[in-house]
Amino acid sequence: MKKRQPEKMHEVGIATEIYRMSRAIAEEHGGGPLEDVFVRVGELTAVEPDLLEFAWQALTMETPDARSKLHVEYCPAVQMCQSCGQTPERARGRWLPLCPNCGTLLKVEGGQELDLERVSFLEKE
Ligand SMILES: [Zn+2]
């Protein structure tokens, strides 16, 4: 698992990148201001959805995209037992060391998502 970067709010850098990509898509289609931007963020990316949405607002505040909204879909990682096939429940941010059912080491799946899913924008005035 990657360690969290020491700089504060790396969400700002990620929001900047999402914004750049979203604008590029809008420009390609002769679009005007952005409306809704949908992203999927996995648990293992160490990105806080709230901070990302906040960073987006700060970033677009004084631009023609000020009224756009970033929608973050949080994708939790799943711990799966390769021995008995269970996917035991766990609290967010906490990891189970072993399968509570059979004691086998659990495998982690998913949680790596950091994808721009969909962008909508208004007509250019
Ligand atoms: Zn098991």
Side-chain angles (χ1 to χ4, degrees), residues 6-7 11-12 36 43 49 66-67 70 77 85 99-100 102-103 106:
E7 80 257 9
E11 283 80 0
V12 173
D36 292 293
E43 182 172 12
R67 294 170 75 182
L70 183 70
C99 174
C102 71
L106 295 162

Side-chain angles (χ1 to χ4, degrees), residues 81-86 99-104 106:
C81 178
Q82 286 177 289
S83 177
C84 73
Q86 287 215 349
C99 174
N101 187 46
C102 71
T104 305
L106 295 162

